[in-house]
Amino acid sequence: MVFRDFRAGGVIGKECDIYTDQLDEFKRIKKKYTDLTYNEYWSNQQNWSLSSLYPERYKNQQEFFEQYFIPLLDQTQYVCDLASANGEWSMKVAPYVNAIDGFEYASGMVEFANKEAEKKGILNARFYQADACALQFDKLYDNFMMMGLLTCIFDDSDALNIVRKVYQAIRKGGHLIVKDSMNVAGEDVIYLYNFLSRYDAIYRSKEQYYKLFEQAGFVMERDTVFHEVDKAGLAFESVGVIWKKE
């Protein structure tokens, strides 16, 4: 069954997923079809990587990362990776900086990242379990990474609070690199829930997404589209952006 009019309900995709612009409907569906706790998809992850799921998107993201973020780094810097997942991006940064702290919601991925860093002899990267909504930073960082976090933060006030905390935790002149997916088919916020994997996501419009960072005080330096995808007749983009704290 397919609902083509969002105001009537949503769109059901071919991969056991539903897309809707109705937050109450999204919450009702999740409550009905799962008995797991908040953020259950990520709670169960141990070694999640974009490279195994979407290799082309990963390649484009890596090229953007290496071309525009790595040159901003030097051996004196302290960098933070918020939503560090399995630590792969932090470990790419580690050779170029003094130290990097990774914070990740999924304890399994934190454990994996620390073991992987130790195995590879990367001594200046350390990973910690934390909820981005509750986390308070206790130091200033020269540069910051936040690769995919806001696609998982459903409340706009929580998302803005996270971005503002990051802004306060970056030194003046520092940069923040982000990667998220967004709705490019209109101004609606689209919510996704997959019945099999229990993955969920929020796709804000580009205008709404960029506004979160502009409200916090960031100035955009550059952006690029990693990947475009059509899902159930909807259009989404995976976008990378580098923001600066002036």
Side-chain angles (χ1 to χ4, degrees):
M1 185 174 182
V2 176
F3 300 96
R4 288 299 177 188
D5 180 356
F6 271 149
R7 296 297 182 261
V11 174
I12 298 177
K14 297 179 180 179
E15 300 172 348
C16 297
D17 42 27
I18 185 167
Y19 300 83
T20 177
D21 69 346
Q22 304 296 309
L23 181 57
D24 288 343
E25 183 68 5
F26 169 79
K27 290 179 177 179
R28 184 191 69 80
I29 291 167
K30 281 196 65 175
K31 184 176 180 180
K32 181 175 181 179
Y33 289 99
T34 180
D35 57 358
L36 296 181
T37 56
Y38 163 75
N39 221 345
E40 64 267 18
Y41 176 84
W42 296 109
S43 298
N44 295 327
Q45 300 303 313
Q46 294 187 339
N47 183 21
W48 188 96
S49 174
L50 187 69
S51 60
S52 59
L53 296 174
Y54 305 106
E56 180 186 354
R57 192 184 310 181
Y58 180 87
K59 178 177 176 290
N60 294 337
Q61 182 174 321
Q62 183 169 337
E63 288 175 354
F64 181 75
F65 187 83
E66 292 176 350
Q67 184 173 359
Y68 297 112
F69 188 66
I70 293 296
L72 301 172
L73 309 175
D74 65 54
Q75 295 289 340
T76 69
Q77 293 182 8
Y78 291 84
V79 175
C80 181
D81 185 0
L82 183 58
S84 52
N86 66 354
E88 61 184 321
W89 296 101
S90 294
M91 286 182 257
K92 291 179 188 295
V93 164
Y96 301 95
V97 300
N98 187 306
I100 182 163
D101 294 331
F103 296 95
E104 168 56 42
Y105 180 81
S107 57
M109 287 203 283
V110 172
E111 182 179 359
F112 176 88
N114 280 316
K115 287 181 178 177
E116 194 70 7
E118 183 179 0
K119 185 166 65 176
K120 293 181 176 180
I122 300 174
L123 304 180
N124 62 337
R126 185 66 185 172
F127 302 92
Y128 306 90
Q129 196 280 328
D131 185 332
C133 293
L135 178 63
Q136 298 295 325
F137 300 104
D138 60 3
K139 67 176 76 169
L140 282 176
Y141 293 95
D142 298 287
N143 286 296
F144 231 93
M145 302 155 60
M146 197 165 71
M147 312 287 273
L149 174 61
L150 294 190
T151 305
C152 306
I153 303 298
F154 291 84
D155 186 275
D156 280 347
S157 60
D158 286 341
L160 181 57
N161 183 47
I162 289 169
V163 176
R164 283 176 169 163
K165 287 192 294 184
V166 169
Y167 183 86
Q168 294 298 322
I170 300 179
R171 296 186 188 278
K172 185 176 181 181
H175 293 82
L176 164 65
I177 184 171
V178 300
K179 183 274 296 182
D180 280 293
S181 296
M182 56 200 71
N183 173 31
V184 293
E187 298 179 358
D188 289 318
V189 173
I190 307 300
Y191 304 95
L192 160 68
Y193 182 72
N194 186 283
F195 296 96
L196 291 180
S197 68
R198 293 175 175 172
Y199 174 78
D200 51 19
I202 176 172
Y203 302 115
R204 296 176 173 88
S205 69
K206 265 192 173 181
E207 181 180 356
Q208 292 165 312
Y209 180 79
Y210 282 47
K211 188 177 179 180
L212 290 171
F213 297 90
E214 292 163 354
Q215 284 182 299
F218 284 107
V219 176
M220 189 188 74
E221 284 209 335
R222 65 181 71 251
D223 62 354
T224 191
V225 176
F226 298 136
H227 186 73
E228 298 175 80
V229 62
D230 185 297
K231 285 278 192 179
L234 305 172
F236 304 105
E237 287 181 350
S238 176
V239 177
V241 190
I242 292 183
W243 300 92
K244 184 176 181 180
K245 178 177 179 176
E246 294 190 327

